[in-house]
Amino acid sequence: MGALTARTVFLFGTWTLQPDEEPDAEPITYTMQCVVCEESSQAVEDVADAQGWTFRHAGRNPSHHTYREVITRPWRAWMAEPPAAAT
């Protein structure tokens, strides 16, 4: 039995990239993260829920004043113009 080898194929052409707004797209989610201790909220679809986590966290950790918002937004890419066939 011969050894298996990997093969990579690159497709060059004009690609388009945009936020995925298709009906079956994953939702946009928001997470708040404490910069001081790196603890973070759950990823949720309502930004107000994620922001509410910061108040609870700050209440338990009065010296933690700095947070970052992490937004996860689905994107999709597709080839707008297929490359011409080689002759």
Side-chain angles (χ1 to χ4, degrees):
M1 180 184 275
L4 297 176
T5 59
R7 180 174 172 215
T8 303
V9 176
F10 293 97
L11 188 57
F12 296 98
T14 303
W15 285 85
T16 299
L17 178 67
Q18 74 177 39
D20 190 349
E21 296 176 346
E22 294 295 321
D24 63 344
E26 293 181 3
I28 297 171
T29 59
Y30 304 89
T31 303
M32 295 300 291
Q33 184 178 42
C34 177
V35 173
V36 177
C37 71
E38 302 291 322
E39 189 175 333
S40 61
S41 71
Q42 295 290 320
V44 293
E45 294 180 43
D46 186 343
V47 68
D49 290 342
Q51 291 170 342
W53 174 87
T54 62
F55 300 121
R56 294 187 298 278
H57 185 77
R60 291 188 305 272
N61 303 279
S63 64
H64 295 195
H65 300 259
T66 309
Y67 297 85
R68 69 176 59 96
E69 178 184 41
V70 180
I71 301 171
T72 302
R73 181 182 319 274
W75 286 74
R76 51 188 310 261
W78 70 93
M79 184 171 289
E81 300 173 16
T87 56

